[in-house]
Amino acid sequence: MKEFDHEKMDVYKAAIEFVALADGIVELLPRGRAYLADQLQRAATSVALNIAEGAGELSANEKARFYRMAKRSATECAAVMDVCRRLKLTNDQNYGQGRELLLRIVSMLVK
């Protein structure tokens, strides 16, 4: 089966993995924390979507712009994860896994 350009990228695969992890974290959030759930889901999805859009661009400037947006969304996810950890809304395993993925994603995007 043929693949789109973004589907071949390790950074995209890591972003999709983070979307799945974020979804699991959101499922565990208590009622009344919809603002965190919404923010995490939107930002996580934005990382993957911006990587895909950037990969589809021909212009180097446009490609870089989408990758910068993906990086900003990834750091936003890291901040939401920090809030969840500080409020004791996520366990150490999910936090550690998410942080590791986000650090990988950001390091790949800045290269």
Side-chain angles (χ1 to χ4, degrees), residues 35-88:
Y35 64 99
L36 288 172
D38 185 57
Q39 199 70 31
L40 185 58
Q41 286 176 315
R42 286 173 185 265
T45 303
S46 179
V47 175
L49 296 179
N50 279 299
I51 291 167
E53 283 190 77
E57 280 294 334
L58 297 178
S59 158
N61 285 342
E62 282 298 296
K63 197 177 282 282
R65 185 174 72 84
F66 280 108
Y67 294 158
R68 279 193 308 274
M69 287 189 287
K71 180 187 170 283
R72 287 195 299 261
S73 293
T75 56
E76 181 180 351
C77 288
V80 174
M81 296 284 292
D82 287 341
V83 170
C84 288
R85 184 176 190 211
R86 182 68 176 97
L87 297 177
K88 297 179 179 15

Side-chain angles (χ1 to χ4, degrees), residues 86-98:
R86 182 68 176 97
L87 297 177
K88 297 179 179 15
L89 300 174
T90 189
N91 62 42
D92 289 341
Q93 182 181 351
N94 282 342
Y95 177 79
Q97 241 183 314

Side-chain angles (χ1 to χ4, degrees), residues 3-55:
E3 290 182 301
F4 288 100
D5 289 343
H6 65 276
E7 293 171 325
K8 300 172 190 170
M9 300 170 69
D10 288 337
V11 68
Y12 178 77
K13 292 172 187 173
I16 292 297
E17 192 176 332
F18 183 76
V19 169
L21 178 72
D23 191 63
I25 291 168
V26 163
E27 288 297 316
L28 299 173
L29 290 177
R31 292 176 69 91
R33 303 299 181 161
Y35 64 99
L36 288 172
D38 185 57
Q39 199 70 31
L40 185 58
Q41 286 176 315
R42 286 173 185 265
T45 303
S46 179
V47 175
L49 296 179
N50 279 299
I51 291 167
E53 283 190 77

